[in-house]
Amino acid sequence: MSALIRKIRQYEGWFGAGAGVCIASGLYLGLVTSPPDYYQGEVVRIMYVHVPFAKTALLAYAVLFIGSLWYLWRRDPVVDNMCHAAAGIGAFFTVGGLITGSIWAKPTWNTWWTWDARLTSFAVLLFILIGYLMLRNFIDDAEKRARYAAVFAIVGFVDLPIVYFSVEWWRTLHQPLSVSVRGLSIAPGMLVPLILMSIGFSLLFTYMLMVRTQMLYLQRLLEAKRGRLLSIYVQAE
Amino acid sequence: MKNLYIRWVGILLGGIIIVLLSMWRYYQEVMTIPPEQLLREQPARTVRVQGTVKAGSLMKGKTGGVTFHLIGEKEGIEVRYAGEAPDNVRELSSLVVVGSWDPSTREFTAHQISLRPNYGFVVAAYVISFVPLSLFLFRMERSVALLYNEVKQETVYKEEWQGE
């Protein structure tokens, strides 16, 4: 078994437990004790799930980008499994971020969707991830598939700073960053659950990445074992 | 596999506790009643009443504050608010008044006016995000546990070794 997989198996529980504690306390503070917003009222509570989903989607793509560079440098198949896992999880969180954002937009902007710079660039991120996953499905040769997918992910990384800074670069309907170099524009009662949920989701993403990487690695290992078994039978006949 | 199911039962219980606490807070601080229910039940405690400000009924008091008629679907109540009225207190606007009902004067004295709660959006966002997330994670964990068992059970190397 790969040394990286052994390490993942050794430490994954800590990340899972950490994520559980942070998310449970974040949910308690966010849904039970934090105050409603003066203008938005109760719907501000969607922030505690929408922002972590969106941030985790960006984190997933950042991991995919770094993993792709790492793969092109070392050509380690386990790193390719990790990139594949990050893309799948990233697509899940991107869809979650878009749906929760849309639900939040209806009571605050009175529309489910608008072609705003932040929303559009975030939707583009989803299409890049879907493209990445489709590319992996179309190529049969494992080495070629990993290489082309890594190059695709590196090129697609250009969208990430656009998503992040879109609220600064253009005048958009989406609110600007609540935590930036200019300071805080959020009440402390809301900041604590938001931070807890963000940390919890980052830990959860790391845990999910560890689990999914193992899953993809084991699927590959099993295929290789069965392939070898088949080749032995063919040789015997 | 047993550990996996025990862990998920724990996660489910934790989720149920958070849902129950959220529901408790909802009933304490968010849930509203219509004017019809207030008139029918005449509660003595502080209540939250949701309705629409009747056109032409909004008046400023001589000593500050406002009075208006808050209507539901069939009936309405007179509301008196002593403080500076927030921006959302307009004719035909839908709002929530928090205060107590005096059956002798048939007047509702509000100490707070807040926005109409749209908690359904909050519930929808949390259900849509956490249910698929839990299913996605559970399926992944279960798949890994099954794959480890399958890999262990595969005897290819053993046979290969014996073959040689």
Side-chain angles (χ1 to χ4, degrees), chain B residues 56-84:
Chain B
S57 70
L58 183 63
M59 280 182 272
K60 284 195 174 178
K62 286 173 189 164
T63 54
V66 287
T67 58
F68 54 88
H69 198 73
L70 192 76
I71 50 169
E73 281 185 15
K74 291 174 188 165
E75 294 175 274
I77 51 167
E78 280 300 316
V79 178
R80 179 178 296 279
Y81 178 69
E84 182 70 32

Side-chain angles (χ1 to χ4, degrees), chain A residues 217-236:
Chain A
Y217 169 80
L218 291 170
Q219 281 171 350
R220 189 165 55 83
L221 186 70
L222 204 62
E223 271 173 32
K225 275 189 167 191
R226 283 176 181 161
R228 290 177 81 175
L229 185 63
L230 192 68
S231 69
I232 290 164
Y233 288 141
V234 170
Q235 278 172 18

Side-chain angles (χ1 to χ4, degrees), chain A residues 105-117:
Chain A
K106 183 61 186 165
T108 49
W109 300 342
N110 201 25
T111 179
W112 296 103
W113 178 263
T114 177
W115 293 104
D116 175 274

Side-chain angles (χ1 to χ4, degrees), chain B residues 15-148:
Chain B
I16 289 169
I17 290 169
I18 289 169
V19 168
L20 289 175
L21 285 169
S22 308
M23 282 172 68
W24 171 77
R25 186 196 159 270
Y26 176 81
Y27 286 116
Q28 294 287 319
E29 295 176 26
V30 184
M31 200 181 78
T32 60
I33 58 170
E36 290 85 357
Q37 193 180 340
L38 178 88
L39 292 169
R40 198 170 56 244
E41 294 176 2
Q42 311 259 337
R45 61 191 163 83
T46 300
V47 284
R48 304 168 61 85
V49 184
Q50 182 179 331
T52 307
V53 179
K54 191 179 175 184
S57 70
L58 183 63
M59 280 182 272
K60 284 195 174 178
K62 286 173 189 164
T63 54
V66 287
T67 58
F68 54 88
H69 198 73
L70 192 76
I71 50 169
E73 281 185 15
K74 291 174 188 165
E75 294 175 274
I77 51 167
E78 280 300 316
V79 178
R80 179 178 296 279
Y81 178 69
E84 182 70 32
D87 300 340
N88 58 334
V89 180
R90 292 186 303 269
E91 288 180 353
L92 296 173
S93 74
S94 187
L95 43 87
V96 174
V97 289
V98 187
S100 52
W101 171 248
D102 186 349
S104 58
T105 58
R106 295 191 66 78
E107 196 175 71
F108 187 89
T109 309
H111 62 257
Q112 191 190 333
I113 294 177
S114 54
L115 296 168
R116 205 179 66 176
N118 26 24
Y119 212 78
F121 288 104
V122 179
V123 175
Y126 278 83
V127 169
I128 281 176
S129 47
F130 275 94
V131 171
L133 179 64
S134 305
L135 291 174
F136 184 49
L137 184 57
F138 176 74
R139 276 194 63 186
M140 259 182 352
E141 287 191 347
R142 191 170 173 272
S143 174
V144 168
L146 290 172
L147 279 165
Y148 268 113

Side-chain angles (χ1 to χ4, degrees), chain A residues 22-214:
Chain A
C22 286
I23 291 173
S25 42
L27 280 174
Y28 173 73
L29 294 176
L31 289 173
V32 184
T33 67
S34 76
D37 185 65
Y38 179 74
Y39 289 108
Q40 295 184 35
E42 291 292 326
V43 285
V44 77
R45 294 179 201 286
I46 298 174
M47 173 176 72
Y48 307 123
V49 65
H50 168 68
V51 173
F53 255 79
K55 279 191 187 300
T56 308
L58 299 184
L59 174 68
Y61 204 94
V63 169
L64 173 62
F65 172 70
I66 294 165
S68 298
L69 288 174
W70 187 6
Y71 175 78
L72 289 180
W73 179 40
R74 302 299 293 264
R75 302 290 164 123
D76 184 346
V78 179
V79 175
D80 177 52
N81 290 149
M82 190 190 77
C83 291
H84 189 183
I89 300 165
F92 177 84
F93 279 104
T94 309
V95 170
L98 285 169
I99 292 174
T100 52
S102 181
I103 294 171
W104 197 8
K106 183 61 186 165
T108 49
W109 300 342
N110 201 25
T111 179
W112 296 103
W113 178 263
T114 177
W115 293 104
D116 175 274
R118 168 59 73 85
L119 275 68
T120 309
S121 56
F122 202 71
V124 169
L125 185 73
L126 175 65
F127 290 123
I128 291 170
L129 286 166
I130 291 171
Y132 176 91
L133 294 169
M134 283 172 76
L135 179 71
R136 294 195 70 100
N137 270 343
F138 290 146
I139 304 170
D140 287 332
D141 182 66
E143 203 281 325
K144 204 183 265 184
R145 177 174 60 216
R147 190 155 35 93
Y148 286 2
V151 172
F152 185 91
I154 291 164
V155 174
F157 182 73
V158 73
D159 189 46
L160 215 65
I162 297 174
V163 173
Y164 192 77
F165 292 110
S166 55
V167 287
E168 303 282 317
W169 292 343
W170 295 285
R171 285 177 67 86
T172 69
L173 204 53
H174 197 282
Q175 68 176 68
L177 302 169
S178 298
V179 182
S180 68
V181 286
R182 290 189 299 273
L184 294 174
S185 57
I186 182 170
M190 294 176 183
L191 185 64
V192 175
L194 184 62
I195 287 177
L196 274 171
M197 288 291 278
S198 298
I199 293 171
F201 268 73
S202 302
L203 291 171
L204 179 68
F205 165 73
T206 313
Y207 175 70
M208 288 170 86
L209 184 69
M210 289 168 145
V211 173
R212 199 164 179 83
T213 303
Q214 283 180 79

